[in-house]
Amino acid sequence: MARLDDAGDVLLAGPAVRAVRTLAAEVVFLAGPNGRAAAELLPGVDRVIEWHAPWIDHTPPPVSRNDVAGLVGRLRGVDEAVVLTSFHQSALPLALLLRLAGVRRITAISNDYPGSLLDVRHVVDESLDVPEAERMLAVAAAAGFVLPPDDDGKLAVQRPLPDISGLLGNSSGADTRTYVVVHPGTSAPARTWPAGLHRQAVLELAEDGHQVVVTGTERDLTAHVAGDVAIDLGGRTTLAELAALIEHAGVLVAGNTGPAHLAAAVGTPVVSLFAPVVPAARWAPYGVPTVLLGDQQAPCRGSRARACPVAGHPCLSQVTSEQVVKAVRELTQ
């Protein structure tokens, strides 16, 4: 199976992976560098191959003959492939490389004519906003793989998750869901709630009686947001540790980013600060209680912009810290 973009996208592929695993003797997952850790967390994945696809990443590497040949060599012995893509990505470049590797049967979505590159061409109406997890599960079904009756089709991660008591110290309340995780970073500025508003929300959440834990990879950002009222775990967690941390939280506050889908995979409610540059109907946290904040009718709607195209970033900057605190109360009471 293949999904070559980010961690959240890979987590959303989890139900499709489990469907394939019902019949496959081994599931090899081809992931990009930003998705590898998520692929390693998916139930049903036996082995992960990492490759940086020049047609997928936002900072794409140059096309290299040696790099392509290396991937083709690593894929030899794979019998069948289910290629998973977003609505704005093409499966055909990877399908060509899979053919060169000798893969016998390939399934993918393609609204373009695939010629001999695909054996099962799954055509979808991209004007319909279907949740991404269901969209990918439909690709697996087109290939002949369906979930067993006892699988609810929700996101999931492999167990056991790491022990996080050492990260939280004695004030954590790690088994009682008494704390709130705030994750201020995203992969694109257009999806980011302002840092000052994050900091104010953390202060107000603490005043409202919540223990707050701030997470992320950008240490300057997490330190600013945490201030002197929250636990700052910036740069201190693996993805598996972040999953465990979120699982024990009462709620996650985050934008449209990987940890929101990680929360869905561990069953934790989400206050979703969601910029409408992509449709919430496709990309909002799947299968868990969610409060969606942000103007979903803003002018940036559907633009797929990474940098905000509208002065003042109104879709998210108009969300107040008071709204976030109210949403947390709603999800934790």
Side-chain angles (χ1 to χ4, degrees):
M1 298 193 68
R3 179 87 201 208
L4 287 166
D5 36 15
D6 293 332
D9 309 297
V10 171
L11 290 167
L12 285 162
V17 168
R18 300 197 305 272
V20 170
R21 195 64 178 85
T22 60
L23 295 177
E26 180 187 38
V27 172
V28 179
F29 198 103
L30 178 63
N34 294 328
R36 175 171 191 149
E40 291 172 341
L41 279 179
L42 293 181
V45 170
D46 297 293
R47 182 162 55 97
V48 178
I49 295 175
E50 179 183 323
W51 193 65
H52 200 172
W55 62 91
I56 295 288
D57 202 276
H58 297 296
T59 55
V63 177
S64 161
R65 182 189 300 270
N66 289 339
D67 196 31
V68 169
L71 176 67
V72 169
R74 294 168 74 190
L75 292 173
R76 294 197 187 281
V78 172
D79 181 61
E80 181 168 356
V82 177
V83 180
L84 303 173
T85 50
S86 185
F87 69 98
H88 55 84
Q89 298 166 348
S90 173
L92 298 185
L94 180 57
L96 175 60
L97 301 187
L98 291 165
R99 282 288 187 238
L100 293 176
V103 176
R104 175 186 59 83
R105 187 172 186 259
I106 304 172
T107 299
I109 291 174
S110 183
N111 290 334
D112 296 321
Y113 173 62
S116 59
L117 296 181
L118 298 180
D119 300 285
V120 180
R121 176 192 182 189
H122 185 56
V123 178
V124 300
D125 182 353
E126 297 291 18
S127 69
L128 301 177
D129 288 329
V130 175
E132 190 71 2
E134 295 177 15
R135 185 176 182 274
M136 289 189 277
L137 194 57
V139 180
F145 303 103
V146 296
L147 289 171
D150 60 348
D151 192 315
D152 61 10
K154 293 184 178 181
L155 307 192
V157 292
Q158 291 190 33
R159 307 291 179 158
L161 290 171
D163 179 5
I164 55 165
S165 57
L167 288 171
L168 290 165
N170 294 329
S171 62
S172 67
D175 293 322
T176 57
R177 289 187 175 264
T178 58
Y179 64 89
V180 174
V181 173
V182 175
H183 189 93
T186 67
S187 61
R191 302 182 184 188
T192 305
W193 197 42
L197 289 173
H198 271 105
R199 182 182 172 95
Q200 182 64 26
V202 167
L203 178 61
E204 293 178 16
L205 285 166
E207 291 173 347
D208 204 43
H210 298 282
Q211 172 72 64
V212 183
V213 180
V214 180
T215 61
T217 58
E218 303 162 84
R219 293 190 177 188
D220 289 344
L221 175 61
T222 62
H224 172 73
V225 169
D228 58 2
V229 300
I231 298 173
D232 177 14
L233 293 183
R236 294 178 55 195
T237 60
T238 65
L239 193 66
E241 288 170 335
L242 182 59
L245 185 73
I246 293 172
E247 180 178 36
H248 289 296
V251 65
L252 169 73
V253 178
N256 178 22
T257 189
H261 304 299
L262 202 57
V266 297
T268 296
V270 181
V271 175
S272 178
L273 296 154
F274 199 100
V277 289
V278 294
R282 292 177 183 254
W283 296 101
Y286 184 71
V288 292
T290 300
V291 175
L292 197 71
L293 298 178
D295 181 4
Q296 301 306 301
Q297 302 303 316
C300 63
R301 180 167 56 110
S303 65
R304 290 173 30 215
R306 294 184 58 76
C308 182
V310 182
H313 196 24
C315 69
L316 287 181
S317 64
Q318 294 179 13
V319 176
T320 67
S321 54
E322 290 85 358
Q323 287 176 291
V324 170
V325 174
K326 179 181 178 183
V328 169
R329 286 179 190 160
E330 179 182 329
L331 291 171
T332 55
Q333 291 177 355

